[in-house]
Amino acid sequence: MDLLLKEVQGLFEQQLRVESLLALSKKLQSEFKERLQSSTQCMLPSHNYTLPNGKEHGTYLALEVGGSTLRVALVDLHGRASSRQSLRIRRIATSTIDNRVRGLRGLAFFDWIAEKIGEMLSADKEACDYMQLEEPIPMGIAWSFPIDQTSIRSGNILGMGKGFHCSIYKGSDLGDLITQACQRLNLNIRLDAIVNDSSAAVLSRAYVDPSTRLAVILGTGINAAIHLPVSSLHDSKFGLRQFPTTIETTHVLVNTELSMFGKRAFPTTRWDDHLNAHHILPDYQPLEYLLAGGYMGEIVRLIIVEATETAGLFDGKLPAALSIPFGLETRTLATFEADTYPNLTPSCKYFQNEYKLPAPPTPAEMRFIRQVVLSVSRRSQGYFTAAIHALSSLLHDLDDGILQNGLDHICIGCDGSVINKYPGYMERSQALLDELVRADQSGQKRVVLESAGESAVLGAGVAAAMANASE
């Protein structure tokens, strides 16, 4: 196993020197600029032109609709300068979107959403009082499915997949479907804003920190949004849209679809190549396959499979649970990462119970697996940091106002299970990012990673507040 481990460490860590990561960053910057001009899949302008000024205030209904979860919340905005918590979730209710819900046909899915909204509001006395007034409760929604957005509050559903039968309403306006479902239950609600998860993260963090210009979501997958000058995107990106006249439109929040970049930039190993070749969408999201939480465990599993077949791991007998593609989850990697016991006793117990090993693994086997985990996670952090450096460099390059705004740093809002919960991930990424900025010597401001937890719900609330303020 020693020879294989040495090879793994060499392959996964050879690109993690500062000069190598800076070279990867420059390659990504070239891809970013190219796709700002031409791609119909990446660098997509949203309908969010301005960032919050921190003065927006009030209570807003916020929805987060994902593939497995619906969350309904009341979000309070007290203002950036308030002595109270400037932005908070006052009440939230979470519902599982299981196979029964996915199987709801036609309008029934949207009626189910409206029912959950009504249940949450009925549990809040102030909201109940508000519902009796003539003025509707303003609502923002973070929608996690493909949508052709036509304005801040409207957009045509492009499909939902993942077993959803309501996809027969492909091409229908999301705003109309949600609003009409609420009206059928006599809910006095008005949909004011639709955002995606990465844009919501920018808005939620920018509300409390005016230095925010980017946000990244790193969990099962990866995506990022960035606030860029409208002039940096080709006119074709905006189609025939009519720009609003009530707000400034010099800048726009751009959904990068960051997962789709990096095919020409990042080197791969044979285990990466195997994962990609056997993926249902090979080459579709190359950066995501290399570093996101949905794939880190699979890369480790593939190395374990090879070690069992060729290096005597587990006496050459692969546990059945580890023969299943994607059977090794990132939470298992986190257990190894956090284990500082000399004999890795907690990891050993967890691993044996979770994967039904016929006999306890030896200390040497556990150390081998932990070192593989560390190599895979360190590469993930290195490639993530290169991508963040590339985005911040793009911002400095395209927006002259960044260097003139009087702030000494740029904040990047961070949400997602890997960046916020994987042991040491954000701290090590920040340290490496500081090294890259110092070594780059391009005059960049410091780039600071800040947690933006609950960003989808909070960002939907902020988006609704901004839409109200612009009217």
Side-chain angles (χ1 to χ4, degrees):
M1 290 189 293
D2 290 343
L3 286 176
L4 178 58
L5 178 59
K6 185 175 182 180
E7 182 187 13
V8 168
Q9 291 173 324
L11 289 172
F12 279 86
E13 299 174 20
Q14 65 181 349
Q15 294 293 324
L16 302 187
R17 296 184 299 274
V18 168
E19 58 271 21
S20 298
L21 293 176
L22 285 175
L24 294 176
S25 171
K26 289 187 182 302
K27 291 179 181 179
L28 271 183
Q29 291 171 53
S30 296
E31 281 194 53
F32 292 159
K33 290 179 179 178
E34 176 185 325
R35 297 196 193 185
L36 279 168
Q37 301 303 311
S38 60
S39 176
T40 59
Q41 293 183 305
C42 305
M43 295 299 184
L44 307 174
S46 70
H47 286 263
N48 301 98
Y49 298 99
T50 61
L51 296 178
N53 57 27
K55 297 178 181 179
E56 300 87 355
H57 65 279
T59 298
Y60 298 87
L61 182 61
L63 266 65
E64 178 189 2
V65 186
S68 60
T69 305
L70 167 70
R71 299 202 298 164
V72 184
L74 284 171
V75 175
D76 290 336
L77 286 75
H78 296 299
R80 192 181 292 155
S82 174
S83 58
R84 306 166 69 181
Q85 185 177 356
S86 59
L87 180 64
R88 74 181 185 101
I89 296 173
R90 188 171 83 204
R91 182 180 294 276
I92 189 167
T94 301
S95 301
T96 300
I97 300 177
D98 55 19
N99 288 333
R100 181 192 69 81
V101 176
R102 292 189 190 95
L104 294 174
R105 295 186 177 276
L107 295 175
F109 175 69
F110 299 98
D111 288 337
W112 177 80
I113 291 176
E115 288 174 11
K116 296 303 178 182
I117 293 172
E119 290 173 8
M120 193 280 295
L121 291 176
S122 66
D124 190 280
K125 183 181 184 305
E126 186 176 335
C128 287
D129 294 340
Y130 198 174
M131 291 290 287
Q132 306 307 312
L133 303 177
E134 292 186 7
E135 188 70 19
I137 296 180
M139 179 174 71
I141 179 171
W143 184 255
S144 300
F145 304 96
I147 185 172
D148 177 19
Q149 201 160 345
T150 51
S151 75
I152 189 60
R153 54 174 53 86
S154 62
N156 299 320
I157 295 174
L158 295 179
M160 295 175 67
K162 302 177 184 178
F164 283 87
H165 287 271
C166 62
S167 291
I168 62 172
Y169 279 86
K170 181 178 179 180
S172 298
D173 183 80
L174 174 64
D176 289 343
L177 291 170
I178 295 286
T179 301
Q180 291 164 10
C182 290
Q183 289 173 346
R184 285 192 289 274
L185 292 182
N186 297 314
L187 296 174
N188 193 19
I189 291 167
R190 182 186 68 240
L191 179 60
D192 283 339
I194 301 170
V195 292
N196 74 355
D197 57 354
S198 57
S199 292
V202 174
L203 296 177
S204 68
R205 188 65 206 171
Y207 184 78
V208 299
D209 186 344
S211 69
T212 305
R213 295 293 183 275
L214 302 92
V216 62
I217 311 294
L218 178 57
T220 303
I222 185 170
N223 195 16
I226 182 170
H227 198 232
L228 290 175
V230 167
S231 59
S232 64
L233 290 91
H234 193 274
D235 290 346
S236 61
K237 291 274 187 175
F238 298 94
L240 300 176
R241 78 166 63 176
Q242 297 293 314
F243 285 81
T245 58
T246 56
I247 59 173
E248 190 177 80
T249 56
T250 59
H251 288 66
V252 64
L253 258 182
V254 177
N255 172 20
T256 65
E257 293 294 352
L258 184 59
S259 66
M260 295 182 175
F261 287 90
K263 180 63 179 177
R264 303 196 303 262
F266 291 97
T268 61
T269 68
R270 62 180 176 274
W271 304 287
D272 300 311
D273 296 339
H274 181 279
L275 187 156
N276 181 64
H278 291 82
H279 197 283
I280 190 172
L281 294 172
D283 297 328
Y284 184 60
Q285 295 173 302
L287 184 60
E288 184 164 301
Y289 300 166
L290 292 172
L291 63 81
Y295 300 95
M296 290 167 62
E298 177 63 3
I299 294 169
V300 172
R301 188 193 72 85
L302 290 171
I303 296 171
I304 289 175
V305 170
E306 181 174 324
T308 304
E309 293 175 348
T310 66
L313 183 66
F314 305 137
D315 290 329
K317 300 173 184 177
L318 183 69
L322 292 175
S323 67
I324 302 170
F326 293 92
L328 183 64
E329 297 184 354
T330 301
R331 65 180 179 178
T332 301
L333 276 58
T335 300
F336 276 94
E337 187 91 38
D339 192 345
T340 58
Y341 284 77
N343 289 328
L344 302 174
T345 305
S347 297
C348 183
K349 183 178 179 181
Y350 176 87
F351 195 73
Q352 186 174 2
N353 290 338
E354 190 76 10
Y355 298 98
K356 312 301 181 188
L357 274 66
T362 67
E365 290 172 332
M366 293 303 292
R367 285 192 294 271
F368 171 84
I369 294 173
R370 185 171 192 270
Q371 289 303 315
V372 169
V373 167
L374 294 180
S375 292
V376 171
S377 69
R378 294 303 178 270
R379 186 189 69 170
S380 172
Q381 292 152 23
Y383 284 6
F384 168 76
T385 305
I388 294 301
H389 180 270
L391 284 171
S392 65
S393 298
L394 182 76
L395 183 64
H396 280 84
D397 192 24
L398 297 180
D399 191 348
D400 294 335
I402 290 297
L403 295 175
Q404 302 166 9
N405 63 12
L407 300 172
D408 64 357
H409 69 282
I410 294 172
C411 173
I412 299 183
C414 300
D415 201 2
S417 56
V418 172
I419 187 65
N420 281 337
K421 295 181 180 180
Y422 191 91
Y425 198 103
M426 183 182 287
E427 294 80 5
R428 282 188 288 271
S429 296
Q430 181 66 69
L432 187 52
L433 186 56
D434 289 341
E435 285 190 63
L436 296 186
V437 171
R438 284 194 298 268
D440 192 20
Q441 297 183 341
S442 62
Q444 272 200 48
K445 294 182 177 182
R446 184 169 186 243
V447 181
V448 180
L449 304 176
E450 292 284 358
S451 178
E454 304 286 5
S455 64
V457 168
L458 291 171
V462 172
M466 293 174 65
N468 268 265
S470 67
E471 292 181 347

